[in-house]
Amino acid sequence: MSPNTSSSTGKDKLIVDEEEVLQAVILADSFNKRFKPLTTHKPRCLLPICNAPLLDWTFESLALAGVQEIFVICRSHAELVKTAIKNSKWSKPGAGLKIVPIVTAKETFTPGDAMRDIYTHGIITSDFVLVTGDLVSNIRIGDVVREHKERRKTDKDAIMTMVVKQSGVNHRTRSRGDSAVFVIDPETSKCLHYEAVTGYPPKKYASIPREILNEHPEVEIRNDLIDCSIDICSVEVPSLFQDNFDYGDVRRDFVHGVLTSDLLMKSIYCYIAKEGYAARVRDTRSYDSISKDILARWTFPLVPDDNHPGGHSYEHLRGNKYIAKDNSVILSRTCKIGNNTLIGSKSQIADNAQVIASVLGQQCIVGAGSIVRNSYLFDGAVIGPNCVVEHSIIASGVHIKERTRVERGCLIADGVVVGPQAKLAPFSRLSKRRQDSDEEDEEFEDAEEEVKTATTEDEVDSELEDVEANQDPEALAKLGPGTNAIIWPLPTVDEDEDIDELEHPDNQRLMRIGDNASDLVLSDPGSITSSGQADSAVISEFQQEVKQSLDRAFAEGHSVDNAAVELKTLRMASNVSLRLVREAVIAAIVSRIKIMAGGGIPQRQEIASMISRWGGLIDKIGGVDPVETVEILQEYCASSDRLPLFGQILAALYQDDIVDEDDIRAWHGNSKSQGQGVKPTSLQDNYNKCWVTGAHMIKQFDEQDSDEESEEDSDDGSESRDPVVENPVTKELPSAGANSSEENSCEENSDEEDEGNTDEDDSE
Amino acid sequence: MNFDVTPVEVVTREFVVVILAGFGNELLPLTGEHGDEPCPKGLLPISNKPMLDYPLSWVEQSGIKDVLLICPSSHRPAISHYIHSQSSSASFSSVHIDLQTFDESQELSAGTCSVLRHFANRIKEDFILIPCDFIPPPSLPLSKLLNKFRTDTISDGSIVTSCWYEHKPDKLATPDEWGSPVQPTPIVWDHLTGTLLYVDSPHETDKNSDELELRMSLLSRYPQAKLSSRLLDSHVYVCKRAVLDLLAQKTRFDSLREDFFPWLCKLQYQSTKREKYATSIRIGIIIHRADDGFAIRVNNLPAYLEANRHIVTENEMHQFVADTSIGDFTRVEEKSTIKKSTIGKHCVIGKMVKIVGCVLLDHCVISDGAKLDGCILGNSTTVGSKAVLVGCVTQAGYEVKDNESVRHEKLDISDWAAQPEDSEGDVEGSAGEEESDEDED
């Protein structure tokens, strides 16, 4: 393969030959849709920022760095880009730059695809500068290149140097939605780990591989760097993209992949720029902040009054106001121009109009009494009288008619007419209806129409069609009678579509102009360990109240129904689970059963009377779940001194039809009933005792079935045969048998048929 | 109530020093019992000075008067004797030492948190926690920590100032049998403000052994954090009294470094936790670099040997031969060579003995022709003639037989009873060879 050989010889040459031509590659496509619909007819790199196309700013930055040969990789609207390059001042002979546009296939969807395209073109002969077509920078990239080459002499595996700018975490130019944590060796500034950070949903943890500490015991974790997307790459970078065809993004895939790969053995370095300015227009929000940075002269010497990439000349006035120098700007005597404002030539600002912290293109008109604040008007935009435009981007040729209100975050594409008296909702995105767009386009920018490739046309058209087909007439009506606009829908997530987290609408909100995203929860308050305790506070309060309520009910002899109503109300108020209510009721009832000294018949009577009086309450609290009732009874008995009464109480509940045979069997079959997994092991014994009691009761049921004994008999039997209990139980209940002769009041009857019991035991 | 004493304390004390002197299980068999007498860790000599001398003189230099010394009750007589003995009371006359005991079993030693909780009622003011085994470098006075603590507490509610040190281990490898040196704990701190942000704990390692998980809220507040796996905890903490209240709330914590500090660090940037416990919390950190002076915690055998070597080279006053210090009343017979070693008091070293890179505690008896290389001999160890010990540690009172040769072992008394039959047969041949070599010398 010829490109391969040429590039490898180029690399060898580099080390020998210092006088290498410095190449740069500009990825002129954004590969995302954050500027839609502004970019339906124009690539992002040709959008003006401070009245000069982004691409020109990028050329300017590269020229400053001493780059001699530039390849511009374009995809959508490639012909437009080509024309722009042809007309650029940098293409003139004597500019010292050789700019070569390269059109990639329509299937180029990611920067990674573009890199693979570069590889197949075989244009790269030495270390090169990789930037995006939306860069604004005054960083001396030449120094970085020199540093990179120096490093390459000693470390052949250093394939890339990323330029990052030191700032603060919440710097306005630092993207909140798409930033990164860099782990850097402070001595060599080698990048050891790259952790992409997406703004929403907020990332909670940065995971730093422990193994990097083996070789680099002391590292810096930087969360305050602006990634300028300026990379000094070695010739093998395109081939690495070629080898790893799944690399899409340069950062999230390539850098991450190289750093985590055990096979590649390549290293990537960072260049932390402490001085200078560099930033990318990644989204509308950074468009806003970078415009402000330019106006505030952070990009010096690239400022509107000097070195303006568009070749305009502006006069710099106090308060960072810039007015075109050619005396063509017409400012009314009563208009107000705020700080940080740029006004292009031939613009007119009428009486009492206010333009604050905004950028106006050429031939813009702001009508009388209108207010334009924090907004960006491209060439030829017309704002009628008494309008308000806040925090929006208004593309060229837009006409906003009188008394229209454009709320923050609106993007209005070329040639749209809105109003009069329209009210645009915040974050509306408008573009021109296609039918009439065809005609007007020919008037306005006929060049564009001719050169557009068929493929991009199709793509755009299909999307436009979609949007046009789904217009809401009511919303359209609000845009005023004279409108030719269509409204782009709010971004939504298609359930089936596998959308990138980065491009998720919620995350994109962090990148929108004018969106402060105050309703998104971005801060991470830390793990909430307190919630459990808060809940337990609610629960204990509830239990307290239930106890009081039942105390009253018992003391004053309320009816079961009244008590139930009171409980229901309490439950609603505290919003606790039904089980808690049941627990409270059972605990209340059981705790009121007096323990009779002698046991035997008086005890049974006590239980029977209590259950018959209050047992009904258990099923009247809002739900019936007898199995749970038995469980709770077991739980309560196991942990209280009522343990010996478990059997009798269960029998009484059975007697009163609160639980029936099947429920007891179901409970008995449950593994938890045997005390498995019960926390204090001391309680496990008690659980087991209860379970054994239940087991006997079930045997008894079985016998009843077979013997067809009457219920009464069995009951009588249970009273009288206390002592006999000892026999079957001794094995399993050595202690329980001793201290509670009548706990097993129900199962005693089973003794009559010992053989039956043992069978039962075996089967279980 | 003692009416004579109370009026004296007009000026409230700013700090009380809490020195913890534990059993020193990591230093076994040196800290094993000698007959019925315990050998407290704090009294093991480093360059012929008891270990406790180092932190105590550090404290004294900073002008702090009150020390609460906590030791196991079985060590009380020995340590009490040390405090009141001539040698120490002369040098620490200005320090008032309150000796308290804490009952813990040697097998299951209680964590620092439990000890502090136990003594919380005795600590009424801000306190400085110092382990008995930290050998502070001369370039790091305690007052440096105190000053950082003072400024931090006043300015932004710092409640603890900790001190971590970098330690570059000697090239001289110690035998694996001695146990590996303490592995540094990865920590994250903010260099600009001197704030400790994250202490790795076994709990975190269990959760994710491949990655360190740092909260983004941490990185947002301190965007230039540093992470290092080269620093060791000096276990010196200057704490506000409030720390004890927090400890009282978190009863399940046992170890300060493994449980309490990782948790406390989280309070700094997790708002939910912070709201629950305190308004603002910060943990200061002072980092002592290896280039600024030698610091070490003598909490294992390799460190003990290293500390001895280093302190010897630093204290040229006591130097007898190059790199060697020899204690009082020690007798060295003719034709013996001693290099890079520390010999205790009242030792008797016979003829033709060769001692290289060793630490001999007091009352050791080395018979003629013995060779010792890289050994630590406990109190009253006797080495038989022509015995060869390489890389061994002996318990106090251990007896090495004539011509015995042992390599890389920890020799304690219980082993010793069973040992001779096992090893002697194999060993004798080599010992014999060594012997002949020596004669030629």
Side-chain angles (χ1 to χ4, degrees):
Chain A
M1 245 179 135
S2 65
N4 197 4
T5 51
S6 79
S7 63
S8 66
T9 54
K11 186 181 84 185
D12 292 339
K13 226 191 287 170
L14 148 85
I15 291 156
V16 192
D17 189 4
E18 280 292 320
E19 294 301 308
E20 192 75 39
V21 170
L22 182 55
Q23 293 179 310
V25 171
I26 299 179
L27 300 179
D29 203 281
S30 58
F31 304 105
N32 56 48
K33 298 176 176 173
R34 295 175 195 167
F35 276 82
K36 287 264 165 187
L38 299 179
T39 51
T40 40
H41 294 298
K42 216 184 214 183
R44 182 197 295 187
C45 63
L46 295 184
L47 292 180
I49 185 164
C50 291
N51 291 347
L54 276 168
L55 195 59
D56 282 348
W57 286 95
T58 310
F59 287 152
E60 194 79 51
S61 312
L62 290 175
L64 208 65
V67 172
Q68 288 145 296
E69 194 175 5
I70 300 178
F71 300 100
V72 182
I73 312 292
C74 28
R75 182 183 70 114
S76 53
H77 312 289
E79 294 307 320
L80 279 180
V81 180
K82 275 187 180 174
T83 331
I85 291 171
K86 212 185 293 166
N87 299 333
S88 156
K89 66 171 177 177
W90 297 107
S91 303
K92 293 187 182 121
L97 270 184
K98 188 183 162 201
I99 304 176
V100 185
I102 292 172
V103 182
T104 68
K106 193 189 133 218
E107 289 76 28
T108 310
F109 292 119
T110 61
D113 291 336
M115 293 301 283
R116 282 182 275 279
D117 228 33
I118 292 169
Y119 175 79
T120 44
H121 276 84
I123 47 178
I124 297 301
T125 56
S126 72
D127 291 9
F128 65 99
V129 184
L130 176 68
V131 296
T132 49
D134 42 23
L135 173 74
V136 176
S137 149
N138 64 359
I139 284 182
R140 303 194 141 282
I141 302 176
D143 294 350
V144 192
V145 175
R146 213 165 302 127
E147 201 174 278
H148 176 78
K149 289 191 172 176
E150 207 56 41
R151 194 178 291 129
R152 287 273 288 167
K153 282 181 191 165
T154 52
D155 181 4
K156 281 210 147 195
D157 292 324
I159 52 164
M160 188 160 142
T161 303
M162 304 185 278
V163 179
V164 288
K165 171 88 184 83
Q166 186 170 333
S167 71
V169 189
N170 297 318
H171 193 283
R172 63 178 172 191
T173 326
R174 191 171 186 267
S175 176
R176 281 204 289 168
D178 178 16
S179 56
V181 173
F182 292 85
V183 179
I184 296 172
D185 184 318
E187 274 156 35
T188 60
S189 64
K190 184 175 178 178
C191 184
L192 305 168
H193 179 68
Y194 176 88
E195 180 114 357
V197 176
T198 307
Y200 193 89
K203 191 179 173 69
K204 278 199 170 159
Y205 290 101
S207 308
I208 296 160
R210 283 172 193 271
E211 58 178 12
I212 63 172
L213 288 172
N214 298 339
E215 278 187 44
H216 306 272
E218 218 159 299
V219 297
E220 273 188 344
I221 305 165
R222 301 292 295 260
N223 190 31
D224 60 342
L225 301 175
I226 295 178
D227 189 346
C228 315
S229 291
I230 304 173
D231 300 327
I232 318 301
C233 301
S234 305
V235 273
E236 56 257 57
V237 169
S239 68
L240 278 172
F241 271 98
Q242 182 73 13
D243 297 342
N244 299 278
F245 54 85
D246 53 335
Y247 286 170
D249 189 75
V250 177
R251 288 285 180 271
R252 285 167 190 250
D253 298 328
F254 177 73
V255 170
H256 187 261
V258 168
L259 292 180
T260 52
S261 165
D262 297 330
L263 301 170
L264 290 174
M265 303 300 286
K266 303 288 183 196
S267 47
I268 293 175
Y269 287 78
C270 282
Y271 175 89
I272 301 175
K274 298 216 164 66
E275 289 171 3
Y277 181 88
R280 248 192 91 183
V281 180
R282 298 163 174 272
D283 41 57
T284 49
R285 187 185 191 84
S286 54
Y287 179 90
D288 179 34
S289 60
I290 291 171
S291 298
K292 297 267 162 65
D293 288 344
I294 293 172
L295 294 179
R297 309 178 76 75
W298 285 104
T299 55
F300 189 86
L302 304 182
V303 284
D305 54 313
D306 196 9
N307 296 315
H308 186 265
H312 307 173
S313 54
Y314 293 92
E315 189 181 357
H316 180 214
L317 304 174
R318 210 165 59 121
N320 289 332
K321 298 172 199 170
Y322 303 85
I323 314 278
K325 248 182 179 169
D326 54 359
N327 272 332
S328 58
V329 177
I330 300 169
L331 299 182
S332 144
R333 194 176 51 82
T334 51
C335 75
K336 189 185 162 205
I337 309 296
N339 287 350
N340 296 319
T341 298
L342 175 79
I343 297 174
S345 60
K346 296 179 196 128
S347 291
Q348 300 176 21
I349 299 179
D351 292 346
N352 294 319
Q354 295 184 21
V355 178
I356 301 159
S358 298
V359 173
L360 269 58
Q362 296 177 326
Q363 291 159 339
C364 288
I365 296 170
V366 179
S370 288
I371 300 173
V372 176
R373 202 180 289 136
N374 288 316
S375 296
Y376 302 90
L377 273 56
F378 296 175
D379 293 354
V382 176
I383 312 283
N386 297 317
C387 294
V388 177
V389 179
E390 299 254 20
H391 247 118
S392 296
I393 301 177
I394 316 288
S396 56
V398 171
H399 188 186
I400 293 176
K401 291 185 177 165
E402 68 269 20
R403 288 198 294 283
T404 298
R405 210 181 155 79
V406 179
E407 292 286 353
R408 67 201 156 89
C410 290
L411 306 181
I412 303 179
D414 290 352
V416 170
V417 179
V418 182
Q421 289 186 328
K423 192 170 183 310
L424 268 66
F427 309 109
S428 319
R429 299 185 300 162
L430 305 183
S431 77
K432 204 165 44 160
R433 192 175 293 278
R434 219 163 14 128
Q435 290 88 302
D436 26 84
S437 85
D438 284 350
E439 307 153 24
E440 286 205 25
D441 268 355
E442 260 148 5
E443 293 169 25
F444 256 82
E445 299 170 61
D446 42 1
E448 183 191 339
E449 275 302 307
E450 289 168 26
V451 295
K452 231 186 256 173
T453 58
T455 47
T456 47
E457 181 103 2
D458 287 349
E459 196 183 310
V460 170
D461 277 1
S462 67
E463 198 175 348
L464 268 176
E465 257 171 45
D466 262 7
V467 174
E468 264 173 32
N470 297 312
Q471 285 300 308
D472 174 12
E474 262 179 55
L476 274 179
K478 283 188 188 158
L479 297 181
T483 186
N484 63 349
I486 50 169
I487 302 176
W488 288 59
L490 286 175
T492 50
V493 187
D494 202 339
E495 286 291 318
D496 312 326
E497 205 179 337
D498 186 18
I499 194 162
D500 188 7
E501 204 178 40
L502 194 59
E503 301 296 330
H504 190 278
D506 277 339
N507 192 40
Q508 286 298 317
R509 290 196 47 195
L510 297 170
M511 307 186 184
R512 282 202 307 205
I513 183 171
D515 194 342
N516 57 11
S518 55
D519 54 327
L520 295 182
V521 181
L522 296 171
S523 68
D524 169 23
S527 56
I528 301 159
T529 46
S530 55
S531 66
Q533 291 176 16
D535 280 352
S536 71
V538 168
I539 288 167
S540 70
E541 190 182 52
F542 169 76
Q543 282 167 338
Q544 202 58 37
E545 285 194 47
V546 168
K547 194 172 171 295
Q548 284 167 3
S549 153
L550 289 173
D551 278 345
R552 273 196 307 279
F554 281 96
E556 297 164 23
H558 293 174
S559 74
V560 167
D561 285 332
N562 284 350
V565 168
E566 201 161 9
L567 285 179
K568 278 180 192 163
T569 327
L570 272 176
R571 181 183 158 223
M572 295 302 168
S574 312
N575 190 22
V576 294
S577 69
L578 190 60
R579 186 186 170 100
L580 275 176
V581 188
R582 201 182 301 278
E583 270 172 20
V585 171
I586 290 174
I589 295 174
V590 175
S591 66
R592 272 183 182 70
I593 296 173
K594 294 188 197 80
I595 299 181
M596 295 298 175
I601 298 165
Q603 181 71 73
R604 287 175 45 74
Q605 282 167 347
E606 164 71 18
I607 291 171
S609 69
M610 188 56 98
I611 297 294
S612 62
R613 170 72 175 86
W614 289 108
L617 186 59
I618 296 172
D619 283 344
K620 288 200 169 146
I621 53 173
V624 181
D625 186 350
V627 180
E628 199 182 59
T629 305
V630 184
E631 266 172 42
I632 292 167
L633 179 64
Q634 178 191 24
E635 197 181 317
Y636 182 81
C637 290
S639 50
S640 76
D641 56 352
R642 300 292 193 283
L643 176 63
L645 306 184
F646 173 75
Q648 286 172 317
I649 295 170
L650 189 58
L653 288 174
Y654 175 73
Q655 213 61 41
D656 283 42
D657 285 330
I658 294 163
V659 296
D660 61 33
E661 195 181 329
D662 291 340
D663 301 323
I664 296 175
R665 285 178 196 276
W667 160 78
H668 189 259
N670 191 341
S671 67
K672 239 177 85 184
S673 323
Q674 293 183 52
Q676 284 172 10
V678 175
K679 261 293 153 59
T681 35
S682 55
L683 281 187
Q684 265 181 19
D685 264 351
N686 293 349
Y687 269 74
N688 202 33
K689 281 172 201 167
C690 296
W691 184 76
V692 171
T693 311
H696 285 295
M697 202 156 168
I698 285 173
K699 278 170 221 159
Q700 185 188 332
F701 291 139
D702 291 338
E703 288 150 22
Q704 281 174 14
D705 289 348
S706 54
D707 296 356
E708 291 182 281
E709 257 182 301
S710 73
E711 265 182 33
E712 288 192 20
D713 272 1
S714 76
D715 263 3
D716 290 346
S718 70
E719 281 167 63
S720 53
R721 291 188 200 110
D722 288 345
V724 205
V725 182
E726 297 283 336
N727 260 345
V729 182
T730 26
K731 256 192 182 168
E732 295 132 284
L733 292 174
S735 58
N739 67 9
S740 58
S741 49
E742 55 241 285
E743 69 174 292
N744 306 320
S745 53
C746 320
E747 83 253 8
E748 287 88 329
N749 7 8
S750 59
D751 298 335
E752 290 178 55
E753 312 235 340
D754 250 357
E755 300 99 317
N757 290 343
T758 46
D759 287 350
E760 184 71 30
D761 278 347
D762 290 347
S763 67
E764 303 231 353
Chain B
M1 175 80 89
N2 190 340
F3 290 99
D4 294 331
V5 177
T6 34
V8 180
E9 293 193 62
V10 182
V11 182
T12 50
R13 298 186 294 184
E14 189 186 6
F15 292 110
V16 63
V17 170
V18 180
I19 297 184
L20 301 175
F23 278 105
N25 285 340
E26 293 297 311
L27 287 170
L28 282 173
L30 285 179
T31 46
E33 290 181 359
H34 178 211
D36 292 336
E37 291 290 302
C39 297
K41 176 186 181 184
L43 299 185
L44 288 178
I46 290 172
S47 183
N48 285 327
K49 280 204 291 183
M51 204 186 275
L52 268 171
D53 269 23
Y54 294 89
L56 282 176
S57 60
W58 201 43
V59 168
E60 197 190 26
Q61 281 164 20
S62 75
I64 292 174
K65 304 266 185 285
D66 301 280
V67 174
L68 177 63
L69 180 60
I70 298 171
C71 68
S73 44
S74 58
H75 292 175
R76 190 185 176 116
I79 290 182
S80 162
H81 176 257
Y82 156 75
I83 293 171
H84 299 110
S85 71
Q86 204 59 39
S87 63
S88 65
S89 57
S91 51
F92 307 120
S93 50
S94 65
V95 178
H96 169 252
I97 300 173
D98 178 11
L99 182 63
Q100 291 295 329
T101 59
F102 184 71
D103 281 310
E104 52 177 355
S105 59
Q106 186 147 7
E107 292 74 39
L108 190 82
S109 63
T112 323
C113 293
S114 332
V115 177
L116 281 178
R117 272 194 285 270
H118 188 258
F119 286 98
N121 55 346
R122 289 190 166 269
I123 304 170
K124 299 270 184 279
E125 52 281 281
D126 298 350
F127 61 100
I128 308 158
L129 196 64
I130 301 178
C132 71
D133 55 9
F134 183 58
I135 311 297
S139 55
L140 181 76
L142 181 57
S143 48
K144 186 176 171 189
L145 267 79
L146 299 182
N147 287 341
K148 160 111 175 129
F149 176 78
R150 287 171 182 135
T151 41
D152 282 1
T153 43
I154 290 169
S155 59
D156 54 4
S158 166
I159 65 162
V160 181
T161 299
S162 60
C163 172
W164 294 69
Y165 66 96
E166 186 185 9
H167 178 239
K168 288 180 179 154
D170 274 358
K171 293 287 170 285
L172 292 162
T174 44
D176 295 341
E177 288 80 357
W178 288 18
S180 56
V182 177
Q183 284 306 309
T185 317
I187 59 167
V188 175
W189 78 98
D190 183 50
H191 188 66
L192 295 173
T193 55
T195 306
L196 180 64
L197 300 174
Y198 173 87
V199 181
D200 201 29
S201 62
H203 177 65
E204 298 285 338
T205 334
D206 290 348
K207 232 169 42 182
N208 190 342
S209 58
D210 296 333
E211 288 163 328
L212 273 174
E213 291 190 332
L214 298 181
R215 283 204 174 255
M216 286 307 294
S217 49
L218 180 163
L219 295 176
S220 302
R221 273 189 67 168
Y222 300 96
Q224 291 194 28
K226 283 174 181 265
L227 161 68
S228 174
S229 63
R230 213 192 261 160
L231 299 173
L232 290 158
D233 184 11
S234 70
H235 214 279
V236 176
Y237 298 107
V238 188
C239 305
K240 277 205 95 65
R241 178 65 177 61
V243 169
L244 292 176
D245 302 336
L246 284 174
L247 273 175
Q249 283 184 48
K250 305 296 282 186
T251 45
R252 67 191 169 84
F253 286 153
D254 190 39
S255 159
L256 269 187
R257 195 190 67 231
E258 290 176 6
D259 303 325
F260 183 64
F261 278 103
W263 174 78
L264 204 57
C265 283
K266 288 179 186 160
L267 289 190
Q268 297 180 96
Y269 48 83
Q270 292 191 11
S271 53
T272 45
K273 281 211 175 88
R274 196 169 56 237
E275 278 158 20
K276 207 172 136 197
Y277 292 101
T279 45
S280 88
I281 278 189
R282 207 165 73 86
I283 304 173
I285 183 170
I286 286 216
I287 289 172
H288 182 80
R289 295 286 171 185
D291 299 340
D292 302 338
F294 177 78
I296 195 167
R297 269 196 76 188
V298 186
N299 49 7
N300 55 31
L301 291 169
Y304 183 71
L305 194 60
E306 203 186 329
N308 270 293
R309 275 184 198 142
H310 264 272
I311 306 293
V312 165
T313 44
E314 278 169 18
N315 293 356
E316 295 197 4
M317 294 287 286
H318 299 285
Q319 253 171 307
F320 181 74
V321 200
D323 298 341
T324 295
S325 99
I326 293 184
D328 301 338
F329 311 111
T330 285
R331 199 175 74 223
V332 183
E333 303 274 349
E334 61 207 45
K335 287 189 176 174
S336 290
T337 39
I338 303 175
K339 283 182 197 161
K340 295 179 185 165
S341 299
T342 309
I343 313 291
K345 296 170 196 142
H346 305 286
C347 292
V348 179
I349 294 170
K351 297 170 189 165
M352 312 281 283
V353 171
K354 217 174 163 187
I355 299 176
V356 179
C358 293
V359 178
L360 272 61
L361 270 51
D362 300 347
H363 303 289
C364 287
V365 178
I366 316 294
S367 307
D368 300 354
K371 277 177 93 177
L372 304 174
D373 186 2
C375 295
I376 306 174
L377 303 189
N379 261 329
S380 316
T381 302
T382 52
V383 178
S385 63
K386 291 175 182 166
V388 178
L389 294 182
V390 178
C392 291
V393 188
T394 65
Q395 188 174 355
Y398 187 83
E399 289 174 29
V400 182
K401 297 201 167 167
D402 293 355
N403 295 326
E404 200 175 338
S405 169
V406 190
R407 291 178 65 86
H408 300 339
E409 274 192 59
K410 291 185 185 173
L411 304 168
D412 45 35
I413 307 265
S414 54
D415 274 4
W416 166 66
Q419 207 180 13
E421 273 90 329
D422 302 340
S423 58
E424 233 172 352
D426 314 310
V427 158
E428 242 172 308
S430 64
E433 284 166 38
E434 302 259 353
E435 192 185 323
S436 58
D437 289 346
E438 248 179 290
D439 285 357
E440 283 162 33
D441 288 343

